[in-house]
Amino acid sequence: MKHYIGIDIGGMIVKAGIVNEEGKIICKDICQTFPDKHYSVMVKDMYELCVKILSDAGLRFEDISGVGIGCPGTIYAEKGIITFANNLNFHDTPLVDEFKKYWKGDAVYIENDANCAALGEYLFGSGKGSRNCIFITLGTGVGSGFILDGKIFAGKMGAGAEAGHMVIRIDGEKCTCGRRGCWEAYASATALIRDTQKAMAKNPDSLMHKIAAQYGKVNGRVAFDAAKQNDKAAKQVVKRYIKYIGCGVVNLINIFRPDKVLIGGGISNEGDYFIKLIQRYVNRYHYGGKINPRVKVVRASLLNDAGIIGAASLAMNK
Ligand SMILES: [Zn+2]
């Protein structure tokens, strides 16, 4: 059986794991990232993390068929360069070449982390069996990855497929990208928290206050929890939030008509109840009504391991 290493770079930590060709993680570990230090420091730490997991798994360098790296931001995959990753302070960073100074193998690949996760889900998760699938991650922002005809679609120099920054409302809420009304400004967990807070301010008797106090803060679960207990204001927040998510999902379906839309990220932990609400919206509003094929909305299934498995699957798919 072939083995691969998947490395998932985040703002706080780097995760790395050895993944077999069936998409199973056999060993994993993490190390810290220091975005304020030169990137070469992080790359060296990444390499040492790989050495450690190899030793933990009782494998040798020769046993690894390839290394995949997933990183947030704009990734020029062909050149192995991170063009831009805001939170990590990367600008035209030749990460793959730097890694190859330590790792003496040619099969090292890099891609945007959401693209990696999409590929991982497509090969080993809930995207299995589809030809075209779109992966959406609802967290602090809205990330997306497109698998078209079995391949990652990344656009020119890897800057493509940022579905979170399509506008769903002209002159709407301000987005982190500088534009107004982006999908991310309505469908992210950050947006849900903002809207929950607004509704709480208007509804001092809402159950949301009690639930937020139990959590010690307003998080993405407060409105959902209260809505399940029939709180009127919370139900409105959830209803509108589903509309925002659904609007963007339907826009994407109308363009690509994929086999499946996969929903991941922290908010997807709301589970079946949440996915069903999006599915209902999609069934109602997708172009072509009862005539065009229906598109399944499913929860992404690799969860916390999506980053590692996705990055490793990048090396497998070459
Ligand atoms: Zn934006």
Side-chain angles (χ1 to χ4, degrees), residues 2 79 83 93 192 233 249 276 298:
K2 284 186 174 177
K79 299 223 156 143
T83 313
T93 305
L192 173 62
V249 169
K276 271 184 196 156
V298 282

Side-chain angles (χ1 to χ4, degrees), residues 42-225:
M42 198 186 81
V43 172
K44 192 157 184 283
D45 291 347
M46 257 165 57
Y47 170 71
E48 277 160 12
L49 185 60
C50 292
V51 171
K52 182 176 184 296
I53 54 172
L54 274 174
S55 136
D56 289 350
L59 292 172
R60 296 160 309 160
F61 163 80
E62 295 77 19
D63 297 321
I64 300 301
S65 304
V67 179
I69 304 168
C71 180
T74 302
I75 314 291
Y76 194 171
E78 291 89 341
K79 299 223 156 143
I81 289 171
I82 301 165
T83 313
F84 179 66
N86 204 14
N87 298 331
L88 287 152
N89 217 0
F90 289 149
H91 297 274
D92 290 324
T93 305
L95 202 94
V96 168
D97 280 349
E98 183 70 21
F99 186 73
K100 282 182 181 170
K101 284 184 187 167
Y102 304 97
W103 185 266
K104 304 296 176 200
D106 277 337
V108 179
Y109 309 96
I110 190 165
E111 251 298 349
N112 169 275
D113 55 353
N115 288 352
C116 285
L119 185 64
E121 290 286 346
Y122 168 77
L123 292 172
F124 302 113
S126 7
K128 243 174 152 171
S130 60
R131 185 175 167 86
N132 298 305
C133 74
I134 296 177
F135 170 74
I136 304 296
T137 162
L138 305 171
T140 315
V142 174
S144 63
F146 290 65
I147 304 295
L148 303 177
D149 283 332
K151 289 200 181 103
I152 292 174
F153 175 82
K156 188 172 183 180
M157 289 167 72
E162 287 290 349
H165 299 284
M166 66 173 158
V167 166
I168 62 163
R169 182 174 285 182
I170 300 276
D171 295 333
E173 296 281 350
K174 216 167 177 189
C175 181
T176 51
C177 73
R179 235 176 146 198
R180 279 185 177 276
C182 290
W183 193 26
E184 173 167 305
Y186 291 91
S188 62
T190 316
L192 173 62
I193 291 166
R194 176 200 65 217
D195 290 348
T196 304
Q197 282 166 333
K198 275 190 193 166
M200 285 168 69
K202 271 193 209 155
N203 298 279
D205 298 331
S206 163
L207 248 183
M208 291 188 282
H209 292 277
K210 199 178 137 202
I211 293 167
Q214 282 163 357
Y215 283 121
K217 62 178 179 189
V218 180
N219 59 24
R221 299 175 68 177
V222 170
F224 279 102
D225 287 2

Side-chain angles (χ1 to χ4, degrees), residues 229-244:
Q229 292 177 58
N230 229 1
D231 182 80
K232 208 176 149 195
K235 278 166 86 175
Q236 273 175 353
V237 173
V238 169
K239 199 176 166 192
R240 216 176 319 125
Y241 184 59
I242 295 296
K243 260 191 181 178
Y244 293 144

